[in-house]
Amino acid sequence: MLVFQSFHGPARALDRINELGLHIPELYARDVSSKWAVQHSKKTSLQKGSFWRYTFLYQCACGCDHTAGSTPSINRQIAYLDVGCNAFIKLVTTFDSSSPGRNLLAIHNISGLLTHSSACLEQKTASRDARLPLHPEIRLYAQSLLQKGVSGPAVYTQANTWSKATYPPIQHAFNPDPHYRYTYLPHDTTSLYRSLRLKKGISQRSTAHENIHTWFRQDNPSPPSPELTSACLFYQPYILDETDRFILILSTSEQRTAAWNHGHHRTILADLTFGFCSARTNLWILMVVDDQFRGIPVAYVIFSAKANTSERGVHGDYNKALVELILGKWVDAMGLNAAGEKFCPFLGVTDNDVRERHAMSTIWPNILLLLCLFHTWQAWKNGLNRSLAGIPISEARTSVRKRLAAFCMQLYATAAFRAEQDYFKTLQHPGRTTLEKKLGSGGLKFLQYLSSYLASRDLWLQWSRAGVIQAAETLGIPEKSVPRTTNHLESHNGHIKNDYFAQHQHGGQLPRADVWIIALVTEVIPDFF
């Protein structure tokens, strides 16, 4: 029979809860011998300050079918057998959450089928050992270890060591606790990871792309934090036969302010990386340099590879048009400053990626571009090694390497290029030794490779000191203050792949894209400001 009970006094209501053997999560611990288990709970905010209305739906364990539902299981883990008991209880309460913990203010009603079936009542003892939940203090300690980036196996060892020291086994051997266990088990790590995700608004059985779309969709977005909405400057979902990839541009208000203060009519750095999350995505980062020569990331662009791209090809699956589209969307979202100007840096520093440089020169036609000196030297080093591959290692080969390296640093590279050509041609004249002819051939091969860097004045300026001099004059700063490398970005990329998201890597696996995004906006970016 369906029963509805309300009580005029809180003491009588609590007595009735005790008579039924109910527990209230986070208030009264559950006795594992109880057949009642919370199957559903709902939390509703009341208008009166910190008051919350909680509704709990309890079901008898003897009526739970483990093979039914959206996530059925093969083996039954519930302590009691399923005998079809239909008993259930609905409990409605009000709590005050203004102070630490939760204070129970009122129990409004207890309703449902309160009487167990005869078959259920006959089942006096459990058919298998009940699963005791981990003690809350041990759980908190293990959770703190995970948040520090400690690996799962190490958490298992450290948590059990801490538990034995804090709760000596002899204490609870003679006084067993019917509510908790004191041994940390391997599966507890999975449970903690789920709890940490749930705190961030990521439910256990949701997929990354579903969450991202729910957070950033144009119609009725529902993010777990309002910071996600304010940081999203552009979102394009992947829709089969409509869009070829997913794109997300993130930049918080503090980042946009930093971009205007330190990047407008100044310098911007750009670099693309991959392997930062478990999804098939790339990450493009824009960074400015402040007056203390510190790099400040001002935008993160995440975009997926096309569906037909192989795993090995993900990092290169983009073109000039895509980077130009992304950069244009970011500039448009930046709006105008007080003078009515669109965001426009005077200097851009990138690696050897022609797609990035093309996009920058298209969006900002008057920008001066410099190549990262480290990447340029690395390319030259590889080219020089290929050119001199046929020459045995010797003092003569070393002298040629030093000569060509010194030439690359010449201010007037065109005139120096002809002089170097003439020099290495003389090494191939008749009468020269075999080693000299090999040196001459290797030097000319490298000069032929290097000629691509001298194809135009614009390209020459991108790597030569002449470009640095022009950049210093344009920005009104000393030459030494002109960034010559993307080291600020490279360092930031290293932190992103290691330090910043260590606590979100499970067993060394990269975090999911949705976990990475919410951690970036709510944890990583605020650390810069």
Side-chain angles (χ1 to χ4, degrees), residues 431-501:
R432 294 285 188 172
T433 65
T434 302
L435 178 58
E436 287 176 328
K437 288 180 178 180
K438 286 184 177 181
L439 293 173
S441 176
L444 290 174
K445 283 182 181 179
F446 177 70
L447 291 175
Q448 179 62 34
Y449 158 77
L450 198 64
S451 63
S452 62
Y453 287 85
L454 299 169
S456 66
R457 183 177 184 277
D458 288 342
L459 187 56
W460 167 57
L461 287 174
Q462 291 183 22
W463 60 266
S464 71
R465 181 167 168 250
V468 178
I469 294 174
Q470 182 175 332
E473 292 175 351
T474 301
L475 299 174
I477 59 176
E479 283 185 46
K480 64 179 182 180
S481 298
V482 177
R484 297 301 315 275
T485 69
T486 56
N487 286 352
H488 294 89
L489 264 175
E490 296 295 340
S491 174
H492 184 61
N493 289 346
H495 287 301
I496 280 181
K497 293 182 179 180
N498 297 289
D499 307 340
Y500 296 153
F501 295 90

Side-chain angles (χ1 to χ4, degrees), residues 365-412:
N366 297 321
I367 192 173
L368 174 63
L369 296 176
L370 293 183
L371 286 170
C372 170
L373 208 55
F374 171 79
H375 288 90
T376 303
W377 285 352
Q378 196 68 28
W380 290 351
K381 178 183 176 181
N382 294 336
L384 188 57
N385 288 337
R386 290 192 299 269
S387 301
L388 303 180
I391 304 173
I393 298 176
S394 62
E395 185 176 342
R397 173 173 169 166
T398 302
S399 65
V400 169
R401 289 178 64 91
K402 290 181 178 179
R403 180 185 180 94
L404 290 172
F407 153 69
C408 291
M409 297 299 102
Q410 293 290 320
L411 178 58
Y412 301 104

Side-chain angles (χ1 to χ4, degrees), residues 245 247 318-328 355 358-359 363:
R245 66 178 81 235
I247 302 174
Y318 63 102
N319 52 30
K320 295 177 180 178
L322 175 62
V323 183
E324 183 180 335
L325 168 69
I326 289 171
L327 189 59
R355 293 162 289 191
H358 168 83
I363 300 297

Side-chain angles (χ1 to χ4, degrees), residues 233-234 248-252 254-260 262-264 267-273 282-290 294-303 322-334 343-345 347-351 353 355-357 359-361 363-364 367 369 486-490 492-493 496 516 520 525 528-529:
L233 300 189
F234 177 75
L248 178 65
I249 302 177
L250 296 171
S251 180
T252 65
E254 292 84 1
Q255 287 182 296
R256 297 193 290 272
T257 300
W260 280 109
H262 304 292
H264 182 57
T267 303
I268 193 166
L269 313 179
D271 190 33
L272 184 137
T273 189
N282 291 312
L283 175 65
W284 196 45
I285 305 175
L286 298 176
M287 178 176 280
V288 297
V289 181
D290 66 10
R294 296 175 302 188
I296 302 176
V298 293
Y300 296 88
V301 182
I302 307 164
F303 61 90
L322 175 62
V323 183
E324 183 180 335
L325 168 69
I326 289 171
L327 189 59
K329 293 293 184 183
W330 178 66
V331 172
D332 290 342
M334 289 290 289
F343 181 84
C344 179
L347 175 65
V349 183
T350 70
D351 57 18
D353 193 331
R355 293 162 289 191
E356 293 178 352
R357 300 203 303 274
M360 285 189 172
S361 60
I363 300 297
W364 302 306
I367 192 173
L369 296 176
T486 56
N487 286 352
H488 294 89
L489 264 175
E490 296 295 340
H492 184 61
N493 289 346
I496 280 181
W516 190 92
L520 174 76
I525 295 178
F528 284 92
F529 304 95

